């Protein structure tokens, strides 16, 4: 029951974290021009953010949302940041700091305890899922726009994409199409891949005192989306931008 109740909580937190990152003042940047707050993160040679010694993962993630004007990164890193913040807001902080120690933010690299699951079926995605818009005719001069990782929001046909904003699918596609090569004939499009964290695994780190909140959110989620049960057997998978 705890596992079933935890999924709608974490999904709601993912949507909230996407909205918060949009408001935070962070900027879009390539790996070569990435920026961070040097009090919390070291910048790696590849443009990633390595947590500084003496800083907890919770402190590092929260600072991105507090001092967003000091940060710039690309869209895959943004998705991982959104997921980490959502998990931080859904489980015990002590457990978050323990399982995500030595955090590195870089592209789709993430701690194994986040346990991202990939499946097919973007047409049936739920709020909090991570989707991907591909731009096959991207201009070689703007390869950073070869696609856009997005969070599916609560509103119908609404997505958050770092550097683009919260828009319907057409808005995301129109934005990507502005960065195509001359004579391009193929439009950007939503791919079929869906990514979400392993709710069952992460539920074991949730605090015990949130049972009433969990039950309320779980009932609301079932009414909107129906009962959803899944099982994962074998190794995890992830999508790369």
């Amino acid at each position: 029951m705890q596992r079933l109740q935890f999924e709608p909580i974490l999904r709601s937190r993912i949507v909230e974290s996407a909205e918060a990152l949009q408001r935070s003042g962070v900027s879009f940047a390539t790996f070569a021009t990435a920026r961070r707050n040097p009090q919390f993160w070291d910048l790696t040679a590849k443009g990633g953010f390595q947590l500084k010694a003496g800083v907890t993962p919770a402190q590092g993630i929260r600072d991105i949302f507090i001092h967003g004007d000091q940060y710039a990164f690309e869209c895959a890193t943004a998705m991982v940041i959104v997921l980490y913040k959502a998990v931080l807001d859904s489980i015990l902080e002590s457990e978050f700091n323990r399982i995500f120690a030595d955090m590195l933010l870089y592209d789709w690299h993430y701690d194994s305890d986040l346990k991202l699951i990939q499946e097919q079926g973007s047409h049936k995605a739920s709020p909090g899922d991570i989707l991907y818009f591909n731009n096959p005719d991207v201009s070689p001069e703007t390869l950073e726009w070869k696609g856009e990782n997005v969070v599916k929001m609560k509103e119908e046909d609404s997505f958050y994409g770092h550097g683009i904003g919260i828009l319907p699918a057409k808005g995301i596609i129109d934005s990507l199409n502005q960065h195509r090569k001359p004579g391009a004939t193929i439009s950007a499009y939503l791919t079929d891949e869906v990514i979400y964290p392993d709710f069952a695994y992460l539920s074991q780190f949730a605090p015990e005192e949130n049972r009433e909140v969990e039950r309320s959110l779980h009932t609301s989620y079932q009414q909107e989306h129906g009962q959803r049960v899944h099982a994962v057997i074998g190794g995890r998978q992830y999508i790369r931008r």
Side-chain angles (χ1 to χ4, degrees):
M1 181 59 69
Q2 177 182 345
R3 295 179 180 183
L4 289 175
Q5 293 168 346
F6 183 76
E7 178 173 343
I9 290 179
L10 183 48
R11 284 190 178 277
S12 293
R13 299 295 181 266
I14 292 171
V15 171
E16 292 168 4
S17 295
E19 293 171 338
L21 193 63
Q22 168 70 8
R23 298 190 303 265
S24 68
V26 297
S27 301
F28 180 89
T30 64
F31 292 115
T33 58
R35 292 185 287 108
R36 88 295 183 207
N37 184 347
Q39 293 184 349
F40 290 83
W41 303 91
D42 290 323
L43 187 65
T44 71
K46 293 184 177 181
F49 304 157
Q50 179 68 60
L51 194 66
K52 294 183 73 74
V55 176
T56 69
Q59 290 172 332
I61 290 297
R62 287 195 179 112
D63 186 69
I64 298 172
F65 291 80
I66 296 171
H67 299 112
D69 59 328
Q70 298 188 45
Y71 290 86
F73 39 80
E74 47 66 66
C75 70
T77 302
M79 296 298 102
V80 176
I81 290 171
V82 165
L83 290 171
Y84 276 137
K85 179 61 163 59
V87 173
L88 172 59
D89 291 342
S90 303
I91 70 173
L92 292 165
E93 183 169 334
S94 58
E95 294 286 8
F96 183 89
N97 290 332
R98 180 181 65 82
I99 64 179
F100 298 126
D102 301 320
M103 182 177 285
L104 170 67
L105 302 176
Y106 173 67
D107 198 17
W108 270 111
H109 294 260
Y110 58 86
D111 192 286
S112 60
D113 280 292
L114 195 55
K115 292 187 180 293
L116 298 186
I117 297 167
Q118 175 182 301
E119 63 181 30
Q120 303 298 304
S122 58
H123 64 284
K124 58 181 179 180
S126 299
D129 281 333
I130 309 298
L131 308 175
Y132 185 70
F133 286 84
N134 188 31
N135 189 17
D137 270 354
V138 64
S139 168
E141 297 180 358
T142 55
L143 289 177
E144 61 271 22
W145 295 108
K146 65 183 178 181
E148 181 75 4
N149 296 281
V150 299
V151 176
K152 183 173 175 62
M153 308 299 281
K154 289 182 179 179
E155 296 76 16
E156 185 68 23
D157 191 32
S158 180
F159 305 89
Y160 163 70
H162 176 58
I164 293 180
I166 299 176
L167 294 171
K170 185 179 184 302
I172 303 289
I173 290 170
D174 288 346
S175 181
L176 290 174
N177 282 345
Q178 295 177 17
H179 301 281
R180 291 184 295 172
K181 60 188 178 184
T185 59
I186 304 175
S187 171
Y189 62 91
L190 177 63
T191 66
D192 201 38
E193 288 84 4
V194 179
I195 291 177
Y196 53 87
D198 188 335
F199 302 105
Y201 173 77
L202 291 169
S203 69
Q204 66 182 302
F205 307 114
E208 291 294 331
E209 62 268 19
N210 291 339
R211 294 278 90 53
E212 289 300 322
V213 175
E214 290 178 3
R215 277 192 285 271
S216 175
L217 282 171
H218 179 56
T219 300
S220 174
Y221 182 81
Q222 281 187 309
Q223 290 172 347
E224 289 187 39
H225 305 286
Q227 182 73 24
R228 179 176 180 176
V229 179
H230 66 267
V232 180
I233 302 173
R236 58 185 174 84
Q237 301 181 63
Y238 60 90
I239 188 172
R240 291 189 60 82
R241 182 183 176 198

